[in-house]
Amino acid sequence: MADYEPDCLFCRIAAGEIPSDRVFEDDTVVVFRDINPKAPTHLLAISRRHIPSAANLTDADGDLLAALFGAMRHVTEEAGLRGYRIVTNVGAEAGQSVFHLHFHLLAGRHMSWPPG
Ligand code: 5GP
Ligand code: ZN
């Protein structure tokens, strides 16, 4: 699998070919605002490298996951968020619509459980 897939929306967002409202980026990770927010704060954390979903992660991706969760911790601390939810959908059945690994970070309202 190539690191960059030209037909992938989030590869193109990571590359800056499609604009996004970025709140954090480094060599590995980009965090940007969801275009259709489901909470007052709704961010998406992605790797620059194309990985279709969490089902495609391997033992070699530990550093990548640490970078993703480190970036999310950084933005939540910066925004002073204490309670938030991190979600990743795997497969269309679970609600995944963009097939490039992303973590939703939702905050700013009460979160019910279980999710629908
Ligand atoms: P999924 O449904 O795959 O778990 O999440 C995909 C998310 O990407 C959705 O919440 C959707 O609103 C968001 N999204 C889709 N297209 C764009 C876009 O062009 N820009 C941004 N910022 N978010 C997008
Ligand atoms: Zn991609």
Side-chain angles (χ1 to χ4, degrees):
M1 190 189 312
D3 285 358
Y4 172 87
E5 291 288 339
D7 294 335
C8 172
L9 175 65
F10 286 177
C11 280
R12 300 191 66 197
I13 283 181
E17 295 166 12
I18 293 173
S20 63
D21 186 355
R22 296 177 182 216
V23 298
F24 176 89
E25 65 181 306
D26 64 16
D27 289 347
T28 311
V29 172
V30 182
V31 185
F32 57 99
R33 293 190 189 281
D34 196 294
I35 206 167
N36 182 19
K38 298 292 191 284
T41 298
H42 186 172
L43 305 175
L44 298 172
I46 65 172
S47 59
R48 291 187 184 274
R49 175 155 68 87
H50 182 81
I51 301 171
S53 81
N56 303 95
L57 289 165
T58 72
D59 291 351
D61 293 320
D63 287 350
L64 181 105
L65 283 169
L68 279 162
F69 277 84
M72 290 190 279
R73 190 184 63 242
H74 173 78
V75 297
T76 55
E77 287 175 358
E78 200 172 54
L81 301 173
R82 283 177 303 169
Y84 49 89
R85 183 170 291 175
I86 293 172
V87 179
T88 189
N89 297 322
V90 179
E93 195 177 334
Q96 187 177 8
S97 61
V98 178
F99 291 86
H100 177 128
L101 176 66
H102 52 281
F103 291 93
H104 297 260
L105 194 161
L106 300 136
R109 64 166 171 79
H110 176 74
M111 302 282 164
S112 59
W113 188 262

